[in-house]
Amino acid sequence: MAGKLSASAQVRLATLGEFTSRVQHVYGMVEVYAASKTKSEQQLQPMARAFGRLKLQFMGAGLDPLSQLCGAMEIAAKRGLSPAVKARILREGVGSLKFQLELEQRSVLSDEEAMLRKKEGAEEGR
């Protein structure tokens, strides 16, 4: 299927792939925070900045729901909660980001498949 994709679908999938690696980086930061026994507060500021950058990048790419979720995770990283509760919230948020990115990738592929089927149907009708 990869060879049959249009240029716009390939660009969109490449963009989503880049976002997947960035979300994976933030996920790593969340797991380091969750696993740390002492001085876990030191990981919060870089994590909040990473969520803020990711929020702006999602907004620039037109993925507003993902941008809003990153904004919520940025706020959650700064809130005064117990480390266990904060880790749970951040893990759930990153899991949701991963799921929504995967869903977006599947959507691009299914839209491309539908367009290809429509095009083949129109050519057969001639």
Side-chain angles (χ1 to χ4, degrees):
M1 179 77 185
K4 298 179 183 179
L5 294 176
S6 68
S8 63
Q10 289 177 0
V11 168
R12 188 73 174 165
L13 284 176
T15 302
L16 292 171
E18 179 66 28
F19 282 134
T20 301
S21 66
R22 291 176 184 169
V23 168
Q24 190 64 29
H25 173 72
V26 173
Y27 172 67
M29 295 175 82
V30 169
E31 287 303 316
V32 167
Y33 170 75
S36 65
K37 300 290 182 196
T38 60
K39 297 190 180 183
S40 58
E41 308 85 34
Q42 292 178 346
Q43 285 103 18
L44 291 176
Q45 190 61 37
M47 190 181 351
R49 281 195 301 267
F51 276 120
R53 283 192 303 271
L54 200 54
K55 174 182 72 171
L56 293 175
Q57 291 165 351
F58 278 135
M59 193 180 310
L63 299 168
D64 292 338
L66 295 171
S67 176
Q68 291 174 358
L69 185 56
C70 283
M73 293 299 99
E74 181 182 15
I75 292 169
K78 294 177 182 178
R79 288 184 68 193
L81 299 170
S82 72
V85 172
K86 193 178 291 193
R88 182 181 55 82
I89 290 170
L90 293 172
R91 280 178 169 162
E92 288 176 1
V94 171
S96 182
L97 279 172
K98 286 180 173 183
F99 175 76
Q100 289 182 25
L101 272 174
E102 185 178 323
L103 191 64
E104 187 69 27
Q105 288 172 337
R106 287 181 187 175
S107 173
V108 168
L109 290 175
S110 66
D111 289 348
E112 191 67 21
E113 244 179 58
M115 191 175 358
L116 185 63
R117 275 193 237 121
K118 184 178 176 184
K119 183 188 257 186
E120 287 175 357
E123 288 177 1
E124 289 176 5
R126 288 185 188 182

